[in-house]
Amino acid sequence: MTDTISTGVKLTDTARDKVRSLIQAEGREDLRLRIGVETGGCSGFIYQLYFDEEMSEADQVSDFDGVEVVVDKKSAMWLGGASIDFEDSIQKQGFVIDNPNATGSCACGDSFN
């Protein structure tokens, strides 16, 4: 593995545990949570969260007690200081991103600007 630069992204304990359980359910030890920002959505940008076994030298990675979070170089400028949590309530189930770089979001909460 090459030298890594911290992503600047925070992962709550709840989100870390959920990611770990999802990776274990896949039965793969080589997966990491990749978080990216792409153009799209009604507010201009959308988050991409998925498991990835690939890494490039330009990726930034942070380790949260054995759970790796990877951010590509382009997305890093939009995600510095962001916090990822997992919510499991009667109203919502899924990952929630609190991003101090976002100046606004759409009503559905799936995109930001």
Side-chain angles (χ1 to χ4, degrees):
M1 186 182 230
T2 60
D3 290 337
T4 57
I5 301 170
S6 175
T7 62
V9 173
K10 299 173 190 97
L11 193 66
T12 67
D13 292 346
T14 303
R16 181 204 59 218
D17 293 345
K18 184 62 176 181
V19 171
R20 180 177 285 127
S21 71
L22 291 170
I23 289 173
Q24 288 173 343
E26 290 291 319
R28 306 244 329 252
E29 296 290 323
D30 63 333
L31 296 177
R32 301 162 183 86
L33 177 64
R34 181 172 289 278
I35 304 166
V37 174
E38 300 288 330
T39 56
C42 50
S43 291
F45 296 103
I46 56 172
Y47 298 110
Q48 299 287 320
L49 280 84
Y50 57 96
F51 294 123
D52 196 357
E53 69 275 358
E54 303 283 325
M55 275 190 58
S56 77
E57 289 191 25
D59 284 338
Q60 298 178 6
V61 63
S62 293
D63 185 279
F64 297 90
D65 194 25
V67 173
E68 290 183 328
V69 175
V70 178
V71 177
D72 65 89
K73 187 176 180 179
K74 183 183 93 178
S75 299
M77 69 179 189
W78 296 106
L79 293 170
S83 178
I84 301 167
D85 195 9
F86 185 81
E87 189 174 317
D88 190 4
S89 70
I90 195 165
Q91 295 175 323
K92 182 176 185 174
Q93 182 181 38
F95 290 97
V96 178
I97 300 174
D98 180 18
N99 188 347
N101 303 300
T103 58
S105 65
C106 63
C108 67
D110 289 336
S111 77
F112 72 98
N113 58 12

